[in-house]
Amino acid sequence: MKTSDIQFPIKYYQNNILFTQDNESWAYYELIGFEYGFLSDNKKASLSARLESFFAQIGRETHLLVLPKFNSVLEVHEEFKKTIKGPLKDAAFTHIDEVVPIIEHAVGSESCDHHFYIGVKLPKSEEEELSITNIIKNFKSIANDIFSKMGLEEQDISEMDIKSMEEWEEFYFKIVSHHVNARKIDEDDYQWLIRRNFYRGIGRPPHILDFKPSYQPTAKGRKPLNLLHLTEGIIDEATHPKRMTLTQSINGEIKKGHCAFLTVSYIPPDGLFNIDTEWIYSAVESLDFPVEISIRIDSLEYRKVMQLVRNKKKELDNHVDHAESSNNKPSFETQDAIDLTDHLEAFTNITKMPQLYVSIAFCVSASTNAELKSRIETLKGHYGDYRFQLEEPISDQFKLFNEFIPGAKQYVKSYIQMMEPAALAAGMFGATTKIGDETGFCIGTHGDQAVYMNPRLYTQGGFDKKSRSLSSVFIGSKGSGKSYGANEITYNAILSGAKGLIIDPKGDRTKWKETLQDIGHEVNVITLEGTEENKGRLDPFVICKDLKDADDLALNICSYLMNIDSQSERIGWIAVRKAVKDVAAEPNPCMDKIIDKLKEQYPEGSKPHELGAYLETYKDLSFASLLFGDGSPVDALDINKALNVLQIQNLKMPKKNKETKDFNVEEKLSMAMMFPIGQFALDFVHQDKSIVKIAFFDESWFMEKTDIGRDIIDKIQREGRAWNAGLFRATQATNDIDEETRSLVGMKFVFQNKDAEEAAHSLRFLGIEPTEELVDMVQNFKEGECFMQDIYGRTGVVQLDTWFPDIDHAFDTRPPLEQEMEKTIETGEEIKEFVLS
């Protein structure tokens, strides 16, 4: 086929169905990339088996594409600006404008991640193939080719054809989605898949907003209008037999890009493919420049494979007989072919697997010829390690250029290889190093990639998410950076329109109103201490909006402080229950009145009277007035501000591993304070559903210590998606996270932990096998460095960063002297060396 005979293959597309000039139809899907690098061998084998099953069962001509997509740091942030709402919108815009150049300096102005696409050629029905209608349609197909070359009008696409292909597409989507996590692409995706080919080595293609292919309605269906304007640009294949030069005019400036296409002319025998091969993933993960891969697959059913193999064996036997009749030994090549066909016959007979005809092409591009040449040699060397042989076909460059366009024919057939499905699956199509969201605020870096997070997306639907929960867990030892990470994400979320509530048990955020200057006017720091001003501020009848909730909360607090329940102390518990009910029915109910009811309504010496007297002993503690109101008016906690910090450092919290039965009076009262605080957090979550809400419990283990605390955590996490809210928990040990709530966690962050056993526990929490190497990695993480697992199930090592020294200083929880010792000045610039909490 001459280059001049190649025409643009696409006639029309709608949704994810594409119609070609040859009257063929394809459906394309995007496979959501999955994390691979930290999986156990068993999980890797499971993924490989799923891919193998897909390649074996699809039974249709299939087109795999691995394509780099470039993301501008500036444009990601500009798009994110459009979603920002709330009282801090102006501050958020200023913050973004200032942070973009800092991030660009750190990772470059443009980053790249690879996307994965699967195209399936849709069939015609068996009846249609045999009908007279199909004979006519075949004639029309020939006529279309003639008309196209003569510049005449093309034939219509009938509505019946479109409906038929939609039905086939649904059928094959079920097959695809059964094996891999994929979505149907849309017209925007097709636009990018076409236009990107003409901007290789130049930059990102321009996007035509809301573009859909046009057509004219006709009596027979639709007459598609020309799509060639999506292929604008100059393609020069004459200057070099193994290269192509692309030219585009961008904003009046002429820009050139250079690209080359390489094919695989030899792959090692299938027996060499195993779990460690990963020949597709290696290009995504190892190379420091973007590589495109196009893989075309046709399937040969196993009975035909057996017939083909047996015919080949007869041919080889004839070679052997001929050699022996001449008193010669068969050649090495003949003997090698015999061994291979024996293996293939035995394997196919046992597995009933088809064989795949596979054609693999790579594309490398660059802005200069010198850089392109270097990348080609690097790619060849990389695949040389796998014993792949790569060729740069002379005079086939334009043909291969077209093979990367969805729906195109396979023009170059000289390099087709026969592969078992397992060999193709071993390449790990879909494995990625990407982590985080496509848009949002930048929370740090993953290698040379910026990591983005957009909380607005988390509670929304989406086929690609393994979790729809904003709730997150931050695990690490003291000074590892877990509180810093949770602070940073909460701060950025608030800037972008969310509301935050932080329960601060250490008093680390006392000066945030002053130090976080851009949001200071929306910060409300409340320190809970036993002053007259705070009396009754945590009284259930003050803190709860609903009287029934106040009633239940008061009973729970009293029962906890008295150490009674409905089973062990029935008489006492019933008396307390009655006292709470009676108080709730009176004007100005309060906790003090419950004590009065128990002492006044029951005689001295009785169990209820003793319980009232015992409860009264707690009032002598310095901060008890927070809990025991006297019915006087008190300012309730106000959460109208964007960020509320509830400081509880004055409470006497028990040591982490201390048993409940060993708590002293002050410790028990302090733990009882968690009941109303938890209820307040739940009321905070139950605000306007249109607003993202984050409740952050620092050192959350103290909430997990009580049944009511675990209940509050469970409720916030379970109701979070419905209320557009999430619970952040920072704690030092994985075991602090209750088993029942682990499945409700969206994102997970694992920071440094010097204890090898705890490091192993935290890796298992991520679903990662704790090998010696990975345990050592966790033990030696730098401050702020962590394993991050996103809501898509991908895990990677991320270095968190707020990007600004003043924000870092605000989040730094170390003593002032230690902070000063960490400050250094180099060449007039402040170098940040943080010990984060």
Side-chain angles (χ1 to χ4, degrees):
M1 177 183 291
K2 296 179 181 178
T3 297
S4 58
D5 293 335
I6 298 176
Q7 62 176 333
F8 181 61
I10 302 173
K11 180 193 295 184
Y12 180 72
Y13 54 84
Q14 176 178 293
N15 299 323
N16 71 318
I17 301 175
L18 180 150
F19 298 86
T20 73
Q21 304 288 359
D22 300 317
N23 288 333
E24 302 288 356
S25 301
W26 288 76
Y28 276 80
Y29 309 93
E30 182 179 7
L31 186 152
I32 299 307
F34 51 85
E35 185 272 322
Y36 184 76
F38 299 108
L39 297 183
S40 67
D41 286 348
N42 286 338
K43 289 189 176 181
K44 288 180 179 179
S46 177
L47 278 172
S48 183
R50 284 177 59 193
L51 288 170
E52 179 184 0
S53 178
F54 169 68
F55 295 134
Q57 292 183 30
I58 191 66
R60 297 294 303 168
E61 188 176 338
T62 307
H63 186 199
L64 307 182
L65 283 168
V66 181
L67 303 175
K69 184 173 283 190
F70 297 92
N71 301 300
S72 159
V73 170
L74 175 60
E75 291 189 14
V76 167
H77 283 85
E78 288 300 319
E79 283 298 310
F80 184 52
K81 277 184 178 180
K82 298 175 183 177
T83 69
I84 294 175
K85 302 176 181 177
L88 296 170
K89 181 176 179 179
D90 291 341
F93 281 23
T94 301
H95 179 87
I96 287 173
D97 293 341
E98 292 175 350
V99 81
V100 164
I102 299 173
I103 297 171
E104 288 179 332
H105 179 74
V107 299
S109 61
E110 200 168 59
S111 62
C112 164
D113 58 84
H114 287 80
H115 290 239
F116 306 88
Y117 298 88
I118 301 172
V120 178
K121 189 176 181 179
L122 301 177
K124 300 179 176 71
S125 68
E126 188 175 340
E127 294 78 8
E128 186 182 18
E129 292 289 349
L130 299 175
S131 68
I132 190 68
T133 306
N134 194 56
I135 298 173
I136 297 171
K137 289 180 72 175
N138 287 337
F139 173 77
K140 287 182 177 181
S141 178
I142 297 170
N144 279 345
D145 288 340
I146 297 171
F147 291 159
S148 178
K149 290 175 183 177
M150 294 177 63
L152 300 177
E153 294 182 353
E154 298 179 355
Q155 296 297 309
D156 303 340
I157 300 173
S158 72
E159 296 296 338
M160 184 175 67
D161 282 346
I162 293 174
K163 187 175 187 304
S164 175
M165 290 306 104
E166 287 175 343
E167 292 172 355
W168 276 119
E169 187 280 326
E170 285 294 337
F171 174 79
Y172 280 98
F173 179 57
K174 290 178 181 177
I175 297 177
V176 172
S177 57
H178 175 71
H179 292 90
V180 295
N181 190 15
R183 71 172 180 92
K184 301 179 182 184
I185 71 169
D186 57 27
E187 286 92 344
D188 268 357
D189 296 305
Y190 271 129
Q191 181 189 158
W192 179 79
L193 286 168
I194 296 167
R195 304 199 84 184
R196 58 164 301 281
N197 294 280
F198 301 87
Y199 283 80
R200 291 185 174 107
I202 296 172
R204 295 184 307 128
H207 176 71
I208 305 173
L209 191 63
D210 297 327
F211 173 80
K212 295 181 185 293
S214 301
Y215 65 90
Q216 290 180 354
T218 66
K220 298 179 181 179
R222 304 180 186 184
K223 176 186 173 184
L225 301 181
N226 203 310
L227 291 170
L228 287 179
H229 64 286
L230 296 180
T231 69
E232 292 172 346
I234 299 173
I235 302 174
D236 180 5
E237 54 174 328
T239 55
H240 194 292
K242 297 181 180 181
R243 308 279 191 277
M244 295 180 66
T245 301
L246 307 174
T247 305
Q248 293 286 350
S249 175
I250 300 176
N251 297 325
E253 181 182 355
I254 301 300
K255 292 191 175 182
K256 293 183 181 291
H258 307 272
C259 61
F261 296 86
L262 299 89
T263 56
V264 177
S265 60
Y266 170 80
I267 57 175
D270 289 346
L272 293 179
F273 284 87
N274 55 53
I275 196 173
D276 297 319
T277 306
E278 301 138 350
W279 55 274
I280 299 173
Y281 172 64
S282 68
V284 174
E285 191 265 343
S286 301
L287 299 174
D288 60 359
F289 55 88
V291 173
E292 303 172 36
I293 309 175
S294 171
I295 303 173
R296 292 185 174 268
I297 309 163
D298 213 347
S299 183
L300 187 64
E301 193 261 342
Y302 88 93
R303 293 183 183 85
K304 293 181 180 179
V305 175
M306 293 295 291
Q307 182 181 351
L308 190 67
V309 169
R310 287 163 181 164
N311 290 340
K312 185 64 177 177
K313 287 187 71 173
K314 289 179 182 178
E315 180 186 330
L316 292 169
D317 287 342
N318 290 335
H319 279 293
V320 173
D321 291 342
H322 178 74
E324 289 177 346
S325 66
S326 306
N327 295 320
N328 293 318
K329 291 184 178 181
S331 68
F332 174 79
E333 288 81 6
T334 300
Q335 190 58 53
D336 193 40
I338 291 172
D339 293 341
L340 190 58
T341 52
D342 285 343
H343 162 76
L344 185 57
E345 181 182 31
F347 176 83
T348 306
N349 192 41
I350 293 171
T351 64
K352 303 297 187 288
M353 282 283 187
Q355 287 293 304
L356 306 177
Y357 290 115
V358 178
S359 179
I360 305 165
F362 295 90
C363 177
V364 180
S365 57
S367 57
T368 66
N369 268 314
E371 186 178 21
L372 178 63
K373 182 178 179 181
S374 173
R375 290 180 173 183
I376 291 170
E377 294 306 314
T378 301
L379 184 68
K380 286 183 174 180
H382 175 79
Y383 278 99
D385 294 340
Y386 292 91
R387 295 172 55 201
F388 280 44
Q389 187 171 331
L390 270 59
E391 307 284 349
E392 299 172 71
I394 297 176
S395 302
D396 282 341
Q397 293 291 304
F398 185 66
K399 295 176 184 177
L400 291 168
F401 176 95
N402 280 274
E403 284 198 17
F404 278 77
I405 298 174
K409 294 179 181 178
Q410 183 174 0
Y411 298 106
V412 180
K413 300 184 178 181
S414 305
Y415 303 96
I416 295 175
Q417 313 286 331
M418 183 174 279
M419 298 176 77
E420 295 171 5
L424 183 56
M428 277 300 133
F429 176 75
T432 181
T433 60
K434 179 177 173 56
I435 192 165
D437 301 324
E438 298 283 345
T439 182
F441 46 80
C442 182
I443 63 172
T445 54
H446 171 55
D448 59 356
Q449 300 177 19
V451 179
Y452 298 101
M453 180 182 171
N454 187 352
R456 289 185 179 278
L457 304 176
Y458 285 45
T459 57
Q460 306 304 312
F463 73 101
D464 52 345
K465 299 182 179 71
K466 287 200 172 182
S467 169
R468 292 172 63 185
S469 173
L470 178 56
S471 294
S472 305
V473 168
F474 303 77
I475 300 173
S477 55
K478 289 182 179 180
S480 62
K482 62 182 185 298
S483 295
Y484 176 95
N487 284 341
E488 179 196 353
I489 294 173
T490 304
Y491 166 80
N492 279 288
I494 289 164
L495 265 181
S496 60
K499 277 191 172 185
L501 169 66
I502 300 179
I503 307 301
D504 180 8
K506 299 178 294 185
D508 291 334
R509 299 159 183 87
T510 302
K511 296 184 178 180
W512 272 20
K513 193 170 183 66
E514 295 77 30
T515 55
L516 297 179
Q517 297 178 6
D518 51 352
I519 69 169
H521 59 288
E522 281 290 331
V523 174
N524 186 25
V525 179
I526 305 163
T527 303
L528 295 181
E529 45 191 357
T531 62
E532 190 62 31
E533 179 187 2
N534 282 328
K535 182 172 176 58
R537 213 166 188 190
L538 292 183
D539 190 308
F541 296 101
V542 172
I543 205 169
C544 294
K545 298 177 182 177
D546 184 80
L547 189 59
K548 176 66 170 61
D549 290 339
D551 187 313
D552 291 342
L553 185 58
L555 178 62
N556 283 327
I557 292 172
C558 292
S559 300
Y560 177 77
L561 290 174
M562 297 172 182
N563 198 29
I564 63 172
D565 58 49
S566 58
Q567 301 300 318
S568 61
E569 291 283 353
R570 290 182 61 85
I571 295 175
W573 188 87
I574 291 171
V576 174
R577 168 76 280 184
K578 182 178 183 303
V580 170
K581 287 285 187 185
D582 290 346
V583 168
E586 295 179 359
N588 303 320
C590 63
M591 288 286 286
D592 273 1
K593 290 183 179 180
I594 296 174
I595 297 174
D596 295 339
K597 289 286 183 188
L598 290 171
K599 292 179 66 178
E600 292 171 3
Q601 292 183 355
Y602 299 92
E604 287 190 28
S606 66
K607 185 67 175 179
H609 187 95
E610 289 179 359
L611 288 174
Y614 178 71
L615 192 61
E616 191 173 28
T617 63
Y618 282 100
K619 292 180 61 176
D620 296 332
L621 299 177
S622 60
F623 50 89
S625 59
L626 286 164
L627 199 58
F628 292 91
D630 59 10
S632 301
V634 62
D635 291 334
L637 297 175
D638 183 7
I639 51 175
N640 290 325
K641 295 287 188 181
L643 174 61
N644 284 271
V645 179
L646 199 57
Q647 295 195 306
I648 56 174
Q649 70 269 26
N650 295 313
L651 305 184
K652 308 300 182 184
M653 306 304 294
K655 289 185 178 180
K656 181 179 172 183
N657 296 318
K658 193 170 184 178
E659 294 292 331
T660 304
K661 62 183 178 61
D662 299 325
F663 290 175
N664 62 35
V665 176
E666 284 192 326
E667 290 170 340
K668 192 145 191 173
L669 178 61
S670 296
M671 293 304 290
M673 297 289 184
M674 296 303 102
F675 296 2
I677 289 172
Q679 183 63 48
F680 178 63
L682 199 58
D683 289 341
F684 164 79
V685 166
H686 292 164
Q687 292 186 84
D688 187 345
K689 289 184 179 182
S690 68
I691 299 173
V692 174
K693 296 165 289 289
I694 295 173
F696 169 26
F697 293 173
D698 202 359
E699 299 297 340
S700 65
W701 61 267
F702 62 78
M703 289 295 289
E704 308 264 5
K705 278 279 187 182
T706 63
D707 291 339
I708 189 67
R710 287 191 293 271
D711 185 54
I712 289 292
I713 285 173
D714 182 69
K715 282 183 178 179
I716 292 176
Q717 290 196 140
R718 292 187 187 280
E719 299 176 18
R721 184 170 64 83
W723 288 92
N724 201 14
L727 173 69
F728 284 10
R729 286 182 282 175
T731 192
Q732 295 180 32
T734 311
N735 289 338
D736 293 337
I737 309 302
D738 187 86
E739 288 288 345
E740 295 182 4
T741 62
R742 290 189 181 191
S743 62
L744 303 174
V745 174
M747 289 196 303
K748 302 171 184 176
F749 298 84
V750 169
F751 294 80
Q752 180 201 72
N753 198 306
K754 290 295 185 182
D755 182 83
E757 185 176 352
E758 177 54 36
H761 284 319
S762 63
L763 286 167
R764 292 191 188 95
F765 180 58
L766 296 172
I768 297 175
E769 183 179 337
T771 63
E772 185 177 341
E773 179 184 4
L774 292 177
V775 168
D776 183 69
M777 185 183 295
V778 173
Q779 288 181 291
N780 291 284
F781 273 150
K782 298 181 295 184
E783 294 87 355
E785 188 178 22
C786 63
F787 274 121
M788 171 184 167
Q789 188 169 94
D790 63 19
I791 59 171
Y792 312 97
R794 302 174 303 214
T795 304
V797 177
V798 173
Q799 177 66 54
L800 300 179
D801 201 331
T802 65
W803 309 106
F804 294 101
D806 59 324
I807 300 175
D808 282 318
H809 179 68
F811 293 169
D812 194 340
T813 59
R814 294 167 298 149
L817 180 59
E818 188 178 342
Q819 294 181 33
E820 287 298 323
M821 291 175 66
E822 291 291 333
K823 291 181 181 178
T824 61
I825 302 293
E826 279 188 15
T827 63
E829 292 186 5
E830 187 172 9
I831 307 301
K832 298 175 289 183
E833 298 181 1
F834 304 114
V835 176
L836 308 173
S837 175

